[in-house]
Amino acid sequence: MKLVPGTNTRLPLAGVLRLGRPPEIWFKPALSVVVAVAPPNLALLALGRLDLAMYTMAGSLCALYAHNRPYAARALALAWVVFGMLGGLAVALVAASLTADAAVLVTVGAVLAAVQKVLCDATRIGPPGNVVLTFVSSAALFTPQSLDRIPGHLALAAAAGAWAWLVGMAPGLLRPHGPERRATAGALEAAAVYAETRGTGEDSARAQVTAAAAVEAARQSLHFAGRPSETRRALERLVVRAEVALAAPADADPGLLRGWARQVRGNRPVPEVDDLAGLGAEPASVPHPLWRRLGPLAPLAVRTALGCALAGYVSLALGIGRPYWALVTAASLYQANLTLTWGRGVQRVVGNLLGVLLFAALVPLAHTGEAALVLCCLALNFGAEALIGRNYWLGSVCVTPMALLITEFTGFREPGLLITERVVDTLVGALVGLAAAVAVPERRWQRVVRTERTGPRTLAATGRSQGPRPDQRTGDTTEGVRP
């Protein structure tokens, strides 16, 4: 462990690169992004206009979002993501058409990154959070542009974004209650794990915190699931059972909880349980209005803008003509506290360095033709989404060559130059971004994130059981990020 000079913050290395279990629905975002990206890119390939793929990719990448949200909430969330992507892209394209001054473009990119970070955190749009939006807008800043072409480029992005919206909503035709069913099953599974500890032992506190967070996630999912239905009411009764297990683990039956969890998944009938009148949990906590959540995030905005701007300026000083990778690297680091920010920086550097090695191995194949280039990008899209849930660095191994290959849609470039620029920008972005994280105080932001994002209102959290409160958990578990 290392101590940050002038603080009591420890920066651990152990465990930062450890692989976790894959998410339950890891294949859904992986398949969704491929389905969203493939038709526009293949159409452009057939038309001989692969140089326009950057704009369709901007819209297609919106398919990465909102996979855990009920479909009623997902429809609105995805629409806002597409709108936000178009807004950032429009600002970047206008700026690129008005000036070629790299320092000015870096400044615009840093301000955009700060706005995107704060809005994504305030609205809890994630994973993958702000970094995909920042990647799109930052890349557009350093692409030659003219005002007369902007409407057409935005139209391509909007069309691809609309297609991504349809891809994200399509599973609801087969499993209309899929997200809230998975959330309820997760709450029951976590409650079963805690019940097995009987509320005692070294693992009990951690299991209680995990279960309380899972229960609150289920409550939130059901709260935003739309109008009441028999399925929703049955799921709510099961969530109450999970909360009762949290309050009295010694009296709970882990096998019964797991059996209910198995039945809830899929489209099978939801198990019917008695309504425990008077024992229901408090309603799911409703987020404060957006304007009230933006104010406390001002330090985060300053930190992001400062880190991204300085990273871009340093990259320019080192002779990198298109320093947006340094800017995006800095934007990707900022988490709920300095320890997590440090961990993300280590993961980013390791994943990117391994990713450029993979790019070096793939580039001979990708350079055999435009079709091979498109297929390589599709495979890397799938790999990134399939692996990033295990650990951010593992997903970055695929994200890095994918981002490098996307830059070649306008024409093949010298691989050695691309690799050098990416390595330099990664190191610069990580070091400068971490320095900005140390320089700008984080206490108020951390307190807001901790109380608003991770403060479950459950039977166990209202004083009816012993052990640490679930809102003592720290960290930003929703901030999986990509390029």
Side-chain angles (χ1 to χ4, degrees), residues 11-210:
L11 302 181
L13 284 173
V16 170
L17 303 179
R18 184 180 299 124
L19 298 182
R21 296 180 60 185
E24 182 181 359
I25 57 168
W26 63 268
F27 54 90
K28 287 195 65 181
L31 290 174
S32 293
V33 73
V34 171
V35 173
V37 168
N41 279 4
L42 293 175
L44 291 175
L45 176 64
L47 294 173
R49 292 304 310 270
L50 202 57
D51 58 302
L52 298 175
M54 186 190 82
Y55 308 106
T56 59
M57 285 287 291
S60 297
L61 290 177
C62 294
L64 294 170
Y65 289 84
H67 286 278
N68 289 322
R69 299 197 178 207
Y71 290 102
R74 184 182 301 188
L76 184 60
L78 281 175
W80 277 112
V81 168
V82 174
F83 178 79
M85 178 274 300
L86 289 173
L89 181 61
V91 171
L93 293 179
V94 170
S97 68
L98 296 178
T99 181
D101 189 315
V104 173
L105 295 176
V106 165
T107 304
V108 173
V111 173
L112 275 174
V115 171
Q116 290 160 339
K117 175 64 176 175
V118 169
L119 287 176
C120 285
D121 274 31
T123 56
R124 303 173 189 176
I125 293 292
N130 64 297
V131 180
V132 167
L133 304 179
T134 301
F135 171 70
V136 168
S137 58
S138 298
L141 281 168
F142 293 91
T143 300
Q145 192 60 240
S146 61
L147 285 172
D148 62 301
R149 292 186 294 170
I150 291 177
H153 293 164
L154 289 177
L156 285 173
W163 171 244
W165 187 93
L166 292 173
V167 170
M169 295 300 297
L173 298 175
L174 298 177
R175 299 187 60 194
H177 300 287
E180 52 266 45
R181 278 174 171 263
R182 286 193 301 271
T184 301
L188 292 166
E189 288 277 6
V193 172
Y194 178 55
E196 287 177 336
T197 70
R198 300 300 181 187
T200 61
E202 295 181 0
D203 297 331
S204 175
R206 182 182 297 274
Q208 184 191 26
V209 171
T210 300

Side-chain angles (χ1 to χ4, degrees), residues 157-390:
W163 171 244
W165 187 93
L166 292 173
V167 170
M169 295 300 297
L173 298 175
L174 298 177
R175 299 187 60 194
H177 300 287
E180 52 266 45
R181 278 174 171 263
R182 286 193 301 271
T184 301
L188 292 166
E189 288 277 6
V193 172
Y194 178 55
E196 287 177 336
T197 70
R198 300 300 181 187
T200 61
E202 295 181 0
D203 297 331
S204 175
R206 182 182 297 274
Q208 184 191 26
V209 171
T210 300
V215 167
E216 175 64 7
R219 282 276 169 201
Q220 291 282 356
S221 183
L222 290 167
H223 176 76
F224 292 108
R227 61 179 181 272
S229 63
E230 285 300 322
T231 298
R232 177 179 166 182
R233 283 188 283 268
L235 292 172
E236 287 174 342
R237 290 192 287 269
L238 287 172
V239 173
V240 170
R241 293 288 182 153
E243 292 185 299
V244 170
L246 282 180
D251 298 328
D253 182 349
L256 183 60
L257 292 169
R258 285 199 170 93
W260 286 336
R262 286 193 296 271
Q263 287 181 263
V264 164
R265 290 186 172 89
N267 281 329
R268 288 175 291 183
V270 178
E272 291 291 339
V273 298
D274 295 334
D275 186 7
L276 300 178
L279 293 180
E282 301 177 40
S285 54
V286 179
H288 294 302
L290 179 60
W291 64 269
R292 290 185 60 186
R293 283 178 273 146
L294 288 175
L297 294 173
L300 174 59
V302 173
R303 175 186 298 188
T304 304
L306 179 64
C308 292
L310 290 178
Y313 299 149
V314 171
S315 178
L316 284 176
L318 294 174
I320 305 298
R322 298 170 62 180
Y324 62 87
W325 280 323
L327 192 153
V328 174
T329 295
S332 73
L333 301 184
Y334 302 120
Q335 305 296 299
N337 57 50
L338 183 56
T339 301
L340 293 174
T341 298
W342 159 262
R344 177 54 52 83
V346 173
Q347 294 164 350
R348 178 87 184 187
V349 170
V350 171
N352 279 204
L353 294 181
L354 293 175
V356 296
L357 295 178
L358 179 58
F359 171 75
L362 286 176
V363 76
L365 173 61
H367 282 187
T368 59
E370 290 185 337
L373 179 62
V374 170
L375 293 176
C376 284
C377 283
L378 289 175
L380 290 168
N381 263 299
F382 182 88
E385 298 311 309
L387 297 174
I388 206 162
R390 303 287 306 274

